[in-house]
Amino acid sequence: MGNGAAGNLGAGALSRVALPADLASLADGILSVRNPLPAAGGVEPESLEEARLYAPQAFRRQQRAVTEADYAAVAQRHPEVQRAAATFRWTGSWYTVFLTVDRLGGGAVDEPFKQRLRAYMERFRMAGYDLEVDGPTPVPLDLALDVCVAPDYFRGQVLAALLQRFGTGLLADGRRGFFHPDEWTFGQPVFLSRIYAAAAEVQGVAAVTVKRFQRWGRPPRTEIADGVLPVGRLEIAELANDPNFQENGRLELAMGGGK
């Protein structure tokens, strides 16, 4: 930096000014030169050995976004982002980075959030690349379970407990419901074994049979036979179980046995 350590002159060390030949005539108007304060801040260049020693530490935290993985990793440092995925697309004369974001708590990727995230990404993004922010593609589920209630339990109580366990909120013990937005993210398949395990956790459930396990509004494929419902790279599974908005996922529970 500057002229190196040699440029850190003490106070009063300067006595004349050096001008290039084309400006030499200006010297006639200078009566005196002095520096009442010492110069500081001059630093010698690092040696190659110092660069090899310190460079890995300096670049351990990525401070630029070049690849798709870089954009996703930087976006995930934002406090409102749970997961991000980036895709480069040629949009005519240049590339545009499409940043797909899964917000914490299932928040909407609305215009105010997009503006905040674009401002955050500005110092990291590569020059010449446009940036667009969008939300994931939801995959609403259509799930139907036949539940056999143990003899000593009331069907209504077990039903309420199952609805809470497979809900989108928090359970009494502080755990998230099975379909809480922060339990699911991009490309995460839905395994039938997890559904059986979650149902078996509820007291009073003697047995469970899955009768329907598919995407809402679509014909079934081989999801039950395969034991998994695949989800695409930019898709997220959801099941809100709101009777007024069944397009956000539906859960049907047929209760038998018990009291």
Side-chain angles (χ1 to χ4, degrees):
M1 299 176 66
N3 294 320
N8 296 330
L9 299 175
L14 297 180
S15 60
R16 65 187 182 88
V17 61
L19 295 173
D22 58 337
L23 298 177
S25 60
L26 296 178
D28 296 337
I30 299 175
L31 300 180
S32 64
V33 176
R34 68 189 185 93
N35 61 306
L37 299 176
V43 178
E44 297 294 340
E46 283 186 334
S47 66
L48 288 177
E49 291 73 18
E50 289 174 320
R52 292 190 187 100
L53 177 63
Y54 297 120
Q57 178 67 29
F59 290 97
R60 181 165 294 174
R61 184 173 176 85
Q62 185 84 336
Q63 296 297 336
R64 67 196 185 284
V66 178
T67 67
E68 293 177 344
D70 292 341
Y71 277 90
V74 169
Q76 285 168 188
R77 298 180 199 166
H78 192 280
E80 297 180 72
V81 175
Q82 176 181 212
R83 185 84 180 272
T87 307
F88 288 176
R89 295 177 190 160
W90 183 258
T91 52
S93 300
W94 51 78
Y95 278 103
T96 298
V97 182
F98 288 86
L99 192 60
T100 308
V101 177
D102 175 18
R103 286 188 67 183
L104 283 169
V109 182
D110 51 17
E111 193 56 37
F113 170 75
K114 291 180 181 180
Q115 292 176 3
R116 292 195 299 274
L117 186 59
R118 280 195 292 261
Y120 171 79
M121 296 292 297
E122 185 62 26
R123 67 189 182 97
F124 299 102
R125 73 178 182 89
M126 190 159 55
Y129 280 54
D130 284 346
L131 178 65
E132 291 292 335
V133 179
D134 57 19
T137 302
V139 178
L141 305 183
D142 192 357
L143 179 63
L145 307 178
D146 280 355
V147 180
C148 179
V149 180
D152 296 334
Y153 289 84
F154 291 98
R155 286 192 296 272
Q157 292 178 341
V158 176
L159 173 62
L162 283 168
L163 290 173
Q164 187 178 35
R165 181 67 186 91
F166 286 99
T168 58
L170 297 178
L171 306 180
D173 58 6
R175 292 183 301 156
R176 298 167 180 159
F178 190 85
F179 288 107
H180 188 285
D182 290 345
E183 287 292 304
W184 301 92
T185 191
F186 296 119
Q188 184 178 350
V190 185
F191 290 98
L192 209 52
S193 57
R194 288 192 61 198
I195 293 175
Y196 279 118
E201 292 176 5
V202 177
Q203 290 188 355
V205 173
V208 176
T209 302
V210 175
K211 289 296 186 181
R212 193 168 60 249
F213 178 53
Q214 62 200 60
R215 294 186 178 219
W216 183 87
R218 303 241 188 123
R221 296 184 176 178
T222 59
E223 294 91 348
I224 292 181
D226 296 340
V228 61
L229 191 152
V231 174
R233 173 177 171 266
L234 300 180
E235 296 180 329
I236 298 181
E238 67 172 13
L239 198 160
N241 197 33
D242 186 340
N244 295 318
F245 301 96
Q246 292 193 11
E247 65 274 14
N248 295 332
R250 174 177 61 180
L251 173 64
E252 290 185 356
L253 298 173
M255 311 297 291
K259 297 181 181 179

